[in-house]
Amino acid sequence: ERDERRYCQLIEALYLKSRGQIRQRSWHEYIFAHNLLNDQEIPEQLLETLLQGDSIYRKKPLCYEFETRVDTITEDKLRLIKNWVKHDQVIFRIGVETSDERIRNSWLNKGVDNSQIEKAVELCHEYGYKVSANLLIGIPGFTEQISYQVLTDSVLWLDRLGVDYIICSVLSSKKDTLQCFLKEKLFNNPK
């Protein structure tokens, strides 16, 4: 349990300490959070401070981009944001990773099915928001041909859904990451 009010004040203070109050209007503000629409991570009070208050932005950005999960995109949340960000463009960045549900949920453990992604994209578009979808390249255990096919299928599927932007990210396999461990074990395994 935490005191939500104090948590929001702490995040606001950290934001102001690291950046200061934004006095010049910026074109684009990317607010990175694992799941911006999750009340545990970003309570409504903090979201209101970020979008509506004047402590952080003297002049609001022209475009906001929010990272979130599709399973928290609801009409209530979108309506709430619409009340606070009336004239600014909003982009929701979602982690699709791949169009293959088996890979996404069994291999990457996302717990999100394609129908949830489809519904979230449709709902965002109904509210006039844009959607940016993240895809992964280089999933451990995939051959180059499988990676190519999975990526191609995913891009075509997202295009059919009408996703506004597609971002392809190479999965990091830096030392001491799970991906590095899996890659080393898979590539060094003679079976």
Side-chain angles (χ1 to χ4, degrees), residues 54-68:
D54 59 4
S55 65
I56 293 174
Y57 302 103
R58 178 67 51 98
K59 294 184 177 183
K60 305 278 190 262
L62 295 174
C63 173
Y64 287 98
E65 185 171 355
F66 306 123
E67 182 120 4
T68 196

Side-chain angles (χ1 to χ4, degrees), residues 67-186:
E67 182 120 4
T68 196
R69 286 181 47 95
V70 296
D71 52 4
T72 58
I73 295 175
T74 65
E75 281 202 60
D76 289 341
K77 291 290 187 177
L78 297 181
R79 196 175 310 115
L80 189 65
I81 289 173
K82 192 77 157 179
N83 287 332
W84 293 329
V85 185
K86 294 187 186 323
H87 303 292
D88 299 330
Q89 183 182 14
V90 173
I91 302 167
F92 285 99
R93 185 184 287 205
I94 57 174
V96 172
E97 320 316 352
T98 175
S99 62
D100 187 311
E101 288 182 351
R102 184 181 50 80
I103 296 167
R104 183 185 321 114
N105 296 324
S106 297
W107 191 247
L108 301 173
N109 201 26
K110 288 286 285 191
V112 173
D113 63 43
N114 286 354
S115 66
Q116 289 174 288
I117 294 169
E118 292 164 4
K119 182 179 176 183
V121 170
E122 184 179 313
L123 197 54
C124 286
H125 285 159
E126 282 178 24
Y127 276 81
Y129 300 137
K130 295 192 182 295
V131 177
S132 175
N134 291 341
L135 293 177
L136 288 178
I137 303 171
I139 296 172
F142 284 13
T143 64
E144 190 173 313
Q145 183 59 35
I146 292 171
S147 288
Y148 175 80
Q149 190 60 56
V150 168
L151 180 64
T152 302
D153 293 346
S154 299
V155 167
L156 293 173
W157 176 66
L158 290 171
D159 184 55
R160 285 192 301 274
L161 288 182
V163 167
D164 302 284
Y165 309 103
I166 299 172
I167 298 170
C168 299
S169 303
V170 176
L171 188 61
S172 173
S173 59
K174 293 180 186 173
K175 185 176 177 350
D176 298 326
T177 65
L178 176 60
Q179 290 77 16
C180 179
F181 173 80
L182 290 172
K183 184 178 176 181
E184 287 174 358
K185 295 300 178 194
L186 291 171

Side-chain angles (χ1 to χ4, degrees), residues 15 19 22-30 57-64 88:
Y15 200 100
R19 296 184 62 193
I22 309 299
R23 298 179 181 280
Q24 305 255 352
R25 186 178 311 277
S26 66
W27 181 83
H28 183 266
E29 182 71 14
Y30 175 45
Y57 302 103
R58 178 67 51 98
K59 294 184 177 183
K60 305 278 190 262
L62 295 174
C63 173
Y64 287 98
D88 299 330

